[in-house]
Amino acid sequence: MSALDIQYGFIFFLIASYTLQFWLSRRQIQHVLSHRSAVPEAFADKISLEAHQKAADYTVTRNKFGLLELSFSTIILALWTIGGGLQFLDDSVRTFNYSPIVTGIMVILGLSIVSGILDIPFNLYRTFVIEEKFGFNRLTLSMFFTDMIKQTIIMLIIGIPFLYFVLWLMDDASPYWWLYVWGSWFGFSMLMMWLYPAVIAPIFNKFTPLEEPELKNKISNLLERCGFTSNGVFIMDGSKRSSHGNAYFTGFGNNKRIVFFDTLVNSLKHDEIEAVLAHELGHFKRNHIKKRILTMALMSLGGLALLAWLIDQSFIYEGLGVTEPSFYMALILFMLVTPVISIFLNPLFSLLSRKHEFEADDFAAQNTDANNLITALVKLYEENSNTLTPDPIYSAFYDSHPPAPVRIAHLAKSG
Ligand SMILES: [Zn+2]
């Protein structure tokens, strides 16, 4: 194989992944629009035509904007790689004559800063035009930028030392560097998962322990019934940023937390909150979290082994627009190019995720009343303006959760 083969191969995948995503979004837009005029029969007595049409318009607007973003990011990726952007950045940093590790960190920082700045207009538009128009946005401009600054500082404090360590392992070039990088990356991710609920999340939101006695009682009963111990149930002030509602589990080991957005607690009845929580517990009890961590670990091990195999092939760098190979360029190219190829695995991961959602729903149906989860879901679909009529192919490709009608029919059967 030659550099030219790599270049043609990359362009082929770039166009193929772009075309596929474009086609899927077009399908989604057309499908949602063609079902806009009437509420699906199964929801006719549950959701108003007005809410249904708002969900359709919201879905279409976001998908159209997504197409613009996709086109832009594809062009930018081409410019960084075969357009010579990375090589130009590397050449500029090399003039400072720092050590290879420091040069690598500066190149990665430069890339992240430029990418971050290019993303700002898109994030601004999404938040202050789209979310605003549909009544979901609660952010002010100053909060938007404060969040961004906080995220950047956290990323620098945590990311740079870790990056330094990884680049040091790569530079040291023991034959097993990729195993060491994998081990440290895995340990680092676990540490972050453990630290996140108690240390990082509170930098952005306020978490108040759930006090309401009746609900608290209901929840402790459920936890006890399911044999689950956690570090508490918290309400998060999600309404500070958006009126979208959610519930989630975070952390692991002795640092597990159950978090409800205040928006969710305010719109659901106690029985419904209990059912949503039972669904989340189902993910834990059916070992979905462990399976997800294991999948992530195996994928990254495979990825790093592949990187170790490719790292000495200078024609690959050249085919991707980098004329001066180095260990940090290998890492950067790997991070940039992998998504163009791995997107084709998306349907597989979505399928797996939907299977887990069904299992968690089954768990909820066994431990609470399935009808409560159904009414909770209908409320959540309505309040978040999630479409009830996604395109089947789009949904199979992207959706981590089964489409609303399928999911509710499944619950109704097990209830
Ligand atoms: Zn779930």
Side-chain angles (χ1 to χ4, degrees), residues 218-238:
K218 229 181 197 21
I219 288 178
S220 357
N221 282 338
L222 175 71
L223 293 180
E224 212 166 295
R225 237 173 25 241
C226 303
F228 186 88
T229 46
S230 90
N231 224 346
V233 180
F234 292 84
I235 311 236
M236 186 188 103
D237 59 345

Side-chain angles (χ1 to χ4, degrees), residues 58-110:
Y58 182 55
T59 309
V60 169
T61 306
R62 282 195 311 163
N63 266 279
K64 281 186 178 163
F65 186 61
L67 286 177
L68 184 72
E69 249 188 317
L70 171 69
S71 310
F72 183 75
S73 65
T74 306
I75 294 168
I76 295 296
L77 178 58
L79 288 176
W80 276 124
T81 51
I82 48 181
L86 282 174
Q87 188 56 56
F88 174 78
L89 180 63
D90 192 28
D91 289 341
S92 317
V93 177
R94 275 174 196 255
T95 58
F96 293 103
N97 274 319
Y98 291 120
S99 73
I101 297 176
V102 175
T103 308
I105 291 178
M106 290 187 54
V107 172
I108 292 171
L109 272 183

Side-chain angles (χ1 to χ4, degrees), residues 301-331:
L301 183 64
L304 278 163
L306 182 67
L307 179 61
W309 184 57
L310 296 173
I311 199 162
D312 295 321
Q313 320 294 324
S314 61
F315 67 95
I316 295 181
Y317 296 82
E318 209 189 314
L320 297 172
V322 170
T323 48
E324 209 147 346
S326 60
F327 58 95
Y328 55 83
M329 276 299 186
L331 188 65

Side-chain angles (χ1 to χ4, degrees), residues 199-385:
V199 179
I200 299 175
I203 299 175
F204 296 94
N205 283 95
K206 248 220 297 288
F207 293 82
T208 354
L210 174 69
E211 296 295 0
E212 217 281 311
E214 196 207 310
L215 182 58
K216 204 175 165 183
N217 204 14
K218 229 181 197 21
I219 288 178
S220 357
N221 282 338
L222 175 71
L223 293 180
E224 212 166 295
R225 237 173 25 241
C226 303
F228 186 88
T229 46
S230 90
N231 224 346
V233 180
F234 292 84
I235 311 236
M236 186 188 103
D237 59 345
S239 60
K240 199 164 89 177
R241 294 190 174 80
S242 155
S243 60
H244 286 297
N246 209 347
Y248 66 92
F249 263 103
T250 95
F252 65 102
N254 58 0
N255 220 1
K256 282 199 293 282
R257 277 184 180 196
I258 298 157
V259 176
F260 285 114
F261 282 36
D262 52 357
T263 36
L264 183 108
V265 176
N266 293 335
S267 62
L268 298 186
K269 290 192 206 123
H270 289 176
D271 285 339
E272 293 169 337
I273 294 174
E274 185 194 24
V276 170
L277 177 59
H279 169 95
E280 296 296 330
L281 280 175
H283 282 307
F284 250 93
K285 285 283 159 186
R286 296 283 177 262
N287 290 323
H288 297 160
I289 318 286
K290 280 183 198 154
K291 283 179 189 162
R292 227 170 284 166
I293 292 174
L294 190 70
T295 314
M296 188 178 82
L298 288 175
M299 297 262 307
S300 54
L301 183 64
L304 278 163
L306 182 67
L307 179 61
W309 184 57
L310 296 173
I311 199 162
D312 295 321
Q313 320 294 324
S314 61
F315 67 95
I316 295 181
Y317 296 82
E318 209 189 314
L320 297 172
V322 170
T323 48
E324 209 147 346
S326 60
F327 58 95
Y328 55 83
M329 276 299 186
L331 188 65
I332 296 173
L333 285 174
F334 192 71
M335 295 297 198
L336 289 182
V337 173
T338 307
V340 175
I341 297 161
S342 66
I343 177 103
F344 295 95
L345 293 175
N346 222 53
L348 190 68
F349 292 117
S350 301
L351 185 70
L352 219 66
S353 169
R354 291 195 298 269
K355 182 175 166 276
H356 287 172
E357 291 308 324
F358 281 129
E359 287 175 14
D361 279 349
D362 289 342
F363 183 88
Q366 283 153 21
N367 290 283
T368 56
D369 185 349
N371 289 315
N372 290 330
L373 188 53
I374 294 178
T375 56
L377 285 173
V378 171
K379 274 187 197 169
L380 290 175
Y381 286 123
E382 179 168 3
E383 284 175 10
N384 287 320
S385 282

